[in-house]
Amino acid sequence: MDFQATTPMDPRVLDAMLPYQVNFYGNPHSRTHAYGWESESAMENAREQQVANLIGADPREIIFTSGATESNNMALKLLEASICPETSLVSVMTVNNEIGVKQPIKEIGKICRSKGVFFHTDAAQAVGKIPISVSDYNIDLMSISAHKIYGPKGVGALYVRRRPRVRLEPLQSGGGQERGLRSGTVPTPLAVGLGAACRIAQQEMEYDHRRVSMLANRLVQKIISEIPDVIMNGDPEQRYPGCINLSFAYVEGESLLMALKDVALSSGSACTSASLEPSYVLRAIGADEDLAHSSIRFGIGRFTTEKEVDYTAEKCIQQVRRLREMSPLWEMVQEGIDLKSIKWTQH
């Protein structure tokens, strides 16, 4: 139930990768023998027929990387170096990884293009889950991560527009692979895995979206029908349904997570899960600090079952009730006391 942090590898992706882990092990950049040709062919097939097709890109605009973090760094390094008083950049997440809200990427892209501004989007949480066209959306740079779409960890891609051309500075020097933008041997099995994940996502996107929507609605309705004072964070309509962020008033989020430790959940992004600070995303959308501290993120994906959803909902209901019974704040609210009218003092 933490599918925004990562996803399990689809067995079909593993099947596609295994031959290139064992039998077809050649360096894809070796041009003098069949082993290299086999690996190069597989790598280019993943680039052309799978990754590029999923986002409506020219294959020459796809650069393999280690994941969305590296792709983001490559994109932003170039753009920062390009800034002068007359230029600027826009970088926006397509789907927020904490609350699932979809940004108006098409409209943002149109505005950026009209102003001559580069537009980068981190689409790690969106690619393969919602339709995206880099051409229709006027996207200049886009970051992709395989492990968010049931592919292997350690591989991703950066889309780099060719017309109008976006010029990047490489983060590292070396052999000049990936058109000189990302030196180092491309790991063929991982590239094949990313390609397979993209191919499957394109084929099953509509079905996955319907099923995830059904399961998400089932989870939310079960919880809010049994527990009062539960708030869904983020826009109720413009959202990816598989990312659900709920605040349980008068319950400490970390305490609820510990009570639900047999379920994979989080209180926010896995990138900042070591911090005890309230989510900056929730604070940015106006959530009170106490509600930000009481939030839990539920992630639903391709392999989530109805049984898992029902178990999670029932366990959550049970533990929220238990924790509220222990809370003096909840007791005060039940007695009709307005907590905001109390002047708290520190000792």
Side-chain angles (χ1 to χ4, degrees):
M1 297 293 288
D2 196 15
F3 277 73
Q4 273 59 57
T6 192
T7 59
M9 192 184 300
D10 191 306
R12 293 168 290 182
V13 171
L14 183 60
D15 288 342
M17 292 173 61
L18 279 176
Y20 300 94
Q21 295 276 23
V22 180
N23 297 321
F24 306 111
Y25 55 83
N27 186 319
H29 311 293
S30 297
R31 304 292 179 84
T32 58
H33 51 69
Y35 299 100
W37 302 335
E38 290 167 343
S39 293
E40 181 187 28
S41 176
M43 178 183 73
E44 292 305 324
N45 181 67
R47 188 195 314 272
E48 296 172 13
Q49 302 301 321
Q50 297 166 336
V51 182
N53 274 358
L54 179 61
I55 63 172
D58 185 310
R60 294 171 295 177
E61 298 172 321
I62 301 299
I63 304 299
F64 287 120
T65 68
S66 63
T69 297
E70 182 185 351
S71 298
N72 289 342
N73 277 272
M74 288 177 66
L76 297 179
K77 179 184 177 184
L78 155 81
L79 295 178
E80 288 172 355
S82 302
I83 292 176
C84 67
E86 292 78 30
T87 61
S88 60
L89 73 100
V90 171
S91 181
V92 179
M93 269 188 179
T94 306
V95 171
N96 185 270
N97 61 331
E98 289 194 34
I99 57 177
V101 169
K102 295 189 295 185
Q103 299 299 326
I105 296 298
K106 187 172 184 178
E107 290 78 5
I108 294 171
K110 184 177 181 180
I111 293 169
C112 289
R113 182 59 55 82
S114 70
K115 300 293 185 182
V117 174
F118 285 123
F119 178 35
H120 164 260
T121 184
D122 179 346
Q125 298 286 348
V127 165
K129 299 174 183 176
I130 61 173
I132 296 177
S133 169
V134 291
S135 297
D136 292 346
Y137 294 1
N138 291 305
I139 295 169
D140 297 306
L141 297 139
M142 186 167 74
S143 304
I144 301 171
S145 187
H147 78 102
K148 303 293 189 183
I149 53 171
Y150 313 96
K153 294 175 177 63
V155 66
L158 175 65
Y159 161 77
V160 184
R161 181 174 289 280
R162 290 174 61 84
R163 292 187 179 85
R165 192 172 185 83
V166 180
R167 298 187 181 278
L168 286 177
E169 289 292 330
L171 291 178
Q172 59 196 34
S173 58
Q177 290 90 342
E178 294 299 279
R179 298 176 182 83
L181 294 178
R182 209 275 182 175
S183 292
T185 301
V186 174
T188 304
L190 296 183
V192 169
L194 171 59
C198 288
R199 171 179 54 80
I200 294 167
Q202 188 168 25
Q203 292 171 347
E204 302 185 0
M205 189 186 304
E206 187 176 340
Y207 171 80
D208 280 352
H209 197 277
R210 286 199 308 269
R211 186 171 179 278
V212 165
S213 298
M214 179 272 292
L215 292 174
N217 185 64
R218 185 185 183 99
L219 176 72
V220 172
Q221 291 305 315
K222 279 181 175 290
I223 291 174
I224 65 175
S225 66
E226 295 290 336
I227 308 175
D229 298 308
V230 178
I231 298 167
M232 177 179 282
N233 296 302
D235 191 284
E237 301 298 330
Q238 295 301 317
R239 65 185 308 114
Y240 171 65
C243 182
I244 304 162
N245 192 298
L246 301 179
S247 288
F248 299 88
Y250 319 113
V251 171
E252 178 62 44
E254 296 298 323
S255 299
L256 182 55
L257 281 179
M258 291 302 296
L260 299 170
K261 58 182 177 292
D262 60 334
V263 182
L265 298 169
S266 73
S267 56
S269 167
C271 305
T272 58
S273 60
S275 171
L276 294 179
E277 293 296 314
S279 163
Y280 72 90
V281 173
L282 296 182
R283 296 307 308 276
I285 63 173
D288 292 337
E289 186 165 340
D290 55 344
L291 281 177
H293 270 298
S294 71
S295 69
I296 298 293
R297 183 183 69 178
F298 301 82
I300 295 174
R302 181 179 295 163
F303 301 115
T304 306
T305 66
E306 290 186 12
K307 185 177 179 180
E308 289 170 337
V309 166
D310 292 346
Y311 176 83
T312 300
E314 290 161 9
K315 191 79 179 287
C316 184
I317 293 166
Q318 174 190 349
Q319 294 302 327
V320 168
R321 286 172 174 166
R322 182 182 68 84
L323 290 169
R324 281 181 174 173
E325 287 174 1
M326 299 165 57
S327 169
L329 295 179
W330 177 248
E331 184 178 348
M332 294 167 69
V333 169
Q334 297 309 297
E335 293 174 355
I337 299 173
D338 181 3
L339 298 182
K340 292 186 178 181
S341 67
I342 299 174
K343 294 183 178 179
W344 304 95
T345 58
Q346 293 183 344
H347 298 283

